[in-house]
Amino acid sequence: MSSLGSPNPFLFGGKKAYEVERSLRFNDDDSPRINRTPSSAGNRKTWTKSFWVKRGQLMRTFLTAYYISGTDVAAIEFGDAHDLHFYDFYNGYRLHLVTTQKFRDPSAWYHIVIALDTTQSTSSNRAKIYVNGEQVTSFSTETYPSQNLNVSFNQNVLEAWGTEGTNQRLHFDGYMSEITYIDGLQLTPSSFGETNAT
């Protein structure tokens, strides 16, 4: 299972080091996961997830996912090519972003923010990814959700961190910390952690 790790300093954009505290250690050999099943569904059009992650084994792995069935999956994962995937699959991809950026450094902490608002009129504003405070704009796959889509995220079914929901495969290996979920708001990285004006 997961265990607490020690604080880890992260130098953010050449600024003063930020302490990533009380991280959870995931050992994929132990099939680790964090499960959450809310009593009711949240806002399935607008939300933000923020978390720090440090990779251990460099392999395809789920960070967080809902697995309702083989034709209904929503996930954030590291792919086989060490890219970051954010998708909603319901009888086909309704949302699918794959970064050209690679995440191959097992010594690095990454701050990731996934921000959704399908009510936006501009398609590229409906789903955003930020890494270490910068918005990702380069994707090898770029499919945005239709306006006002209710995605499969944020239902009142099991959400898992560290594996593919109830399917429980491709377990994460590494550390996670400061997992934050904001229901009903599409936020930027400035809403999380510390900033240094200089």
Side-chain angles (χ1 to χ4, degrees):
M1 298 301 290
S2 305
S3 62
L4 292 177
S6 58
N8 296 275
F10 180 82
L11 194 61
F12 197 86
K15 299 176 183 177
K16 179 181 175 183
Y18 174 73
E19 290 288 326
V20 181
E21 297 181 343
R22 294 180 294 184
S23 58
L24 290 170
R25 173 69 171 102
F26 292 75
N27 181 349
D28 70 303
D29 292 333
D30 298 332
S31 301
R33 65 192 179 278
I34 302 170
N35 290 341
R36 172 182 177 264
T37 304
S39 58
S40 61
N43 190 320
R44 293 173 58 193
K45 296 177 182 178
T46 307
W47 49 258
T48 305
K49 294 179 188 288
S50 168
F51 56 95
W52 289 87
V53 62
K54 182 174 183 283
R55 303 190 72 183
Q57 298 293 325
L58 298 182
M59 57 189 180
R60 183 186 173 200
T61 183
F62 285 96
L63 296 169
T64 183
Y66 291 82
Y67 180 89
I68 294 89
S69 71
T71 58
D72 191 357
V73 183
I76 302 166
E77 67 173 69
F78 285 123
D80 287 323
H82 312 299
D83 39 17
L84 183 67
H85 297 232
F86 170 38
Y87 61 87
D88 181 274
F89 183 93
Y90 184 78
N91 296 317
Y93 286 105
R94 305 185 297 179
L95 159 63
H96 195 192
L97 298 177
V98 180
T99 66
T100 57
Q101 180 178 354
K102 306 299 183 182
F103 300 83
R104 289 185 285 230
D105 185 355
S107 69
W109 278 95
Y110 302 102
H111 181 233
I112 296 173
V113 174
I114 307 290
L116 185 83
D117 184 359
T118 67
T119 70
Q120 295 284 333
S121 58
T122 302
S123 62
S124 59
N125 288 336
R126 296 175 197 155
K128 298 178 180 180
I129 299 174
Y130 301 87
V131 177
N132 296 343
E134 299 293 328
Q135 185 175 350
V136 177
T137 57
S138 179
F139 298 99
S140 59
T141 299
E142 193 170 8
T143 302
Y144 292 99
S146 60
Q147 191 170 20
N148 295 313
L149 176 70
N150 282 313
V151 297
S152 292
F153 284 93
N154 216 9
Q155 299 185 65
N156 58 330
V157 296
L158 185 142
E159 175 189 19
W161 285 83
T163 189
E164 190 191 25
T166 56
N167 206 26
Q168 296 189 20
R169 68 185 184 108
L170 301 174
H171 290 273
F172 175 66
D173 188 277
Y175 295 85
M176 287 193 214
S177 184
E178 297 185 13
I179 297 170
T180 305
Y181 165 65
I182 305 296
D183 188 30
L185 294 171
Q186 185 188 50
L187 301 176
T188 65
S190 63
S191 296
F192 306 95
E194 298 179 0
T195 58
N196 184 330
T198 61

